[in-house]
Amino acid sequence: MAEFFTDVAPIRFEGPDTDTDLAFRVYDPDRVVLGQRMADHLRMAVCYWHSFHWPGSDVFGGGTFDRPWLEAGRDPMDAARMKMDAAFEFFTKLGVTFFCFHDADLAPTGDTFAESKRNLEELVDLAGQHMERTGVQLLWGTSNAFSHPRFAAGASTNPDPEVFAYAAAQVKNAMDATHRLGGANYVLWGGREGYETLLNTRMRQEADQLARFLTMVVEYKHAIGFEGALLIEPKPQEPTKHQYDYDCATVHGFLERYDLVGELLVNIEVNHATLAGHSFHHEVAYAVDHGIFGSIDANRGDPQNGWDTDQFPNSVEEMSLALYEILRGGGFTTGGFNFDTKLRRQSLDRADLFHGHVGAMDTLAQSLLVAASLLEDAELEAARDARYAGWGEGLGAQILDGKHSLADLEEQVASGGLDPQPVSGGQERLENLVNRTLWRAVSAPPDPPPAA
Ligand code: XUL
Ligand code: CO
């Protein structure tokens, strides 16, 4: 098997004081945090599409990256096998637990549906062999039902029922592929499930179509005995002007409306959360609190740009707050952190792909230490508990139990029996508490293990 990343040795944990550029300073897979290995807490994955299938193009220019398998003139199946060799070499040298793929980045699209299906089956077999050889696992698979021109007006929400049928056929095969490779989840990102103009759109009709499609996906999951979770990935817009799976709350309402709660969870992407005008922390807290949390696409946007830049996550503060909510909720079950991340177009060296991922993995490891520390200190939780204490007993509990009416409460207030006084929300104290933990963990991670 030809090696592609010949200049890079397997990445090792060397501790915070190492001088080695490409080494983990914090991520030590076997280090135990809150009773669990770091690797098992974080369940990190590399994505196939941006890292191996994207040539570094943007809307103003073509590919810039050195990716021999993407060169014109190669036999598409030979190129796909070469890409897979490079991908598994990368996963192994990085020491990542999982990967994720779309059907279209794993296998070339054929001239007919049958040829595409054969290509996918052959590449899935090969991926299975690589997985067995390396121990790398599949976090999730998905289907690209947004790039081909037939999906320009949507996949399941297309005004043409034949496009709905085509998308259904494609998703069925991608679910089979994911199942065959033992995927922990199957993801549905509604790339063009939205509209460009309301002038030609029936929103209610399209919502009914989307719900019908998701119901068929749920039925098929049960029919084939796939035990992973089905995940919807919210995004407010891009490429469409408006996407129906706008954010976690919108998806939640949709699931409630179509009786799909419990069958589908969410895959929350950081840059999608910020595009929706939320913080990542908000989206994670919403999903955990409402029982729809599934998995994360870890990346970040650029505060100056209003689009999906998919940069590598590098903010310990942003990730710590999200991880705090995830740990509070009991941690991941089937989900994990998938790096849905793109190199910058000028990052031309083969080693740049390692720099992006190593930094992101250390960022998450450090964030895990901060989140664990916040949880162990229990001060944040104690402040929240104290703030809502009134609802656990007496009047609060009675109100929630439906024991009072408006008239009844008016009588209590009018008779002078109730005279509530404002109390401090204590926001600055809580922000300082988070910062103190961040600074403590940054300057001295607890129990640094010896260098390997
Ligand atoms: C697009 C995006 C996708 C999904 C999978 O913004 O995030 O890569 O994660 O289709
Ligand atoms: Co994503």
Side-chain angles (χ1 to χ4, degrees):
M1 201 180 310
E3 274 198 57
F4 179 69
F5 298 100
T6 42
D7 292 346
V8 182
I11 314 297
R12 309 264 175 237
F13 169 74
E14 294 186 12
D17 299 324
T18 184
D19 289 329
T20 312
D21 211 9
L22 276 178
F24 293 120
R25 281 154 175 77
V26 193
Y27 179 59
D28 178 9
D30 293 323
R31 176 169 179 185
V32 174
V33 179
L34 297 179
Q36 206 179 16
R37 292 172 67 241
M38 263 190 172
D40 298 334
H41 268 294
L42 297 171
R43 297 170 58 80
M44 294 185 281
V46 169
C47 87
Y48 216 86
W49 48 102
H50 295 322
S51 293
F52 299 98
H53 189 64
W54 173 59
S57 54
D58 67 13
V59 283
F60 294 99
T64 54
F65 295 155
D66 143 44
R67 303 279 187 263
W69 51 87
L70 297 179
E71 284 163 8
R74 285 187 189 278
D75 170 74
M77 286 301 278
D78 283 347
R81 282 186 282 265
M82 190 177 175
K83 173 167 52 173
M84 196 174 276
D85 284 349
F88 276 86
E89 182 197 343
F90 181 79
F91 304 155
T92 325
K93 282 190 170 161
L94 184 64
V96 75
T97 317
F98 294 99
F99 76 109
C100 297
F101 70 84
H102 294 85
D103 45 7
D105 22 87
L106 211 62
T109 306
D111 290 336
T112 60
F113 185 82
E115 190 187 339
S116 300
K117 181 174 174 170
R118 268 197 312 278
N119 289 351
L120 183 63
E121 283 170 354
E122 194 177 322
L123 268 306
V124 164
D125 281 346
L126 191 62
Q129 291 165 28
H130 278 292
M131 289 167 70
E132 190 146 333
R133 177 178 61 78
T134 59
V136 175
Q137 300 162 59
L138 178 64
L139 186 63
W140 49 264
T142 187
S143 179
N144 179 331
F146 44 86
S147 292
H148 193 280
R150 79 173 61 85
F151 298 123
S156 71
T157 61
N158 201 290
D160 180 352
E162 290 195 11
V163 177
F164 181 110
Y166 207 98
Q170 212 176 287
V171 165
K172 180 230 169 245
N173 288 341
M175 288 176 75
D176 286 343
T178 305
H179 187 35
R180 188 129 54 96
L181 294 176
N185 307 274
Y186 183 84
V187 164
L188 298 125
W189 170 58
R192 293 187 197 270
E193 309 294 38
Y195 62 78
E196 294 297 339
T197 171
L198 287 172
L199 297 178
N200 65 10
T201 302
R202 287 187 176 157
M203 275 201 281
R204 179 57 198 262
Q205 161 83 29
E206 295 199 2
D208 287 349
Q209 289 175 211
L210 179 57
R212 188 66 214 120
F213 192 87
L214 294 174
T215 305
M216 288 163 65
V217 168
V218 168
E219 286 165 358
Y220 190 65
K221 165 193 153 144
H222 293 302
I224 61 175
F226 176 62
E227 286 181 0
L230 296 174
L231 307 174
I232 294 182
E233 185 173 324
K235 186 174 181 180
Q237 69 272 133
E238 196 207 19
T240 53
K241 168 191 162 71
H242 174 91
Q243 199 164 306
Y244 298 130
D245 299 329
Y246 199 92
D247 59 5
C248 287
T250 309
V251 168
H252 187 209
F254 181 91
L255 295 178
E256 292 276 6
R257 186 147 56 94
Y258 290 99
D259 206 16
L260 287 165
V261 171
E263 294 287 4
L264 291 132
L265 305 172
V266 286
N267 180 42
I268 304 171
E269 179 163 323
V270 184
N271 205 169
H272 297 180
T274 50
L275 282 179
H278 302 304
S279 64
F280 176 49
H281 187 189
H282 166 96
E283 286 291 82
V284 172
Y286 182 93
V288 170
D289 266 7
H290 291 84
I292 58 166
F293 178 72
S295 198
I296 299 288
D297 268 9
N299 57 19
R300 75 176 204 273
D302 183 313
Q304 281 174 261
N305 290 342
W307 66 90
D308 200 9
T309 60
D310 287 334
Q311 286 163 253
F312 285 85
N314 66 358
S315 163
V316 172
E317 181 174 0
E318 185 172 46
M319 289 293 155
S320 297
L321 294 173
L323 259 160
Y324 174 70
E325 304 298 341
I326 294 170
L327 293 182
R328 258 184 74 235
F332 287 116
T333 49
T334 59
F337 280 102
N338 166 47
F339 297 115
D340 194 350
T341 43
K342 290 157 105 162
L343 286 171
R344 295 307 86 195
R345 201 165 167 263
Q346 297 174 59
S347 300
L348 302 177
D349 296 341
R350 293 183 183 186
D352 287 328
L353 201 55
F354 281 93
H355 285 289
H357 284 90
V358 167
M361 289 165 80
D362 263 349
T363 299
L364 287 182
Q366 183 71 25
S367 306
L368 175 67
L369 296 179
V370 174
S373 187
L374 286 170
L375 208 66
E376 275 176 330
D377 289 351
E379 272 205 68
L380 275 184
E381 220 38 45
R384 264 184 191 162
D385 287 349
R387 192 154 183 254
Y388 291 92
W391 291 95
E393 55 185 15
L395 178 69
Q398 288 165 16
I399 292 174
L400 291 180
D401 284 350
K403 301 222 166 85
H404 293 287
S405 64
L406 274 191
D408 176 14
L409 291 176
E410 194 271 347
E411 209 178 292
Q412 289 200 43
V413 174
S415 66
L418 296 176
D419 184 19
Q421 298 301 310
V423 292
S424 171
Q427 181 170 337
E428 295 77 9
R429 189 180 80 82
L430 298 176
E431 287 167 350
N432 291 349
L433 209 139
V434 170
N435 263 3
R436 284 207 296 274
T437 311
L438 273 166
W439 296 337
R440 196 165 61 228
V442 166
S443 54
D447 309 328

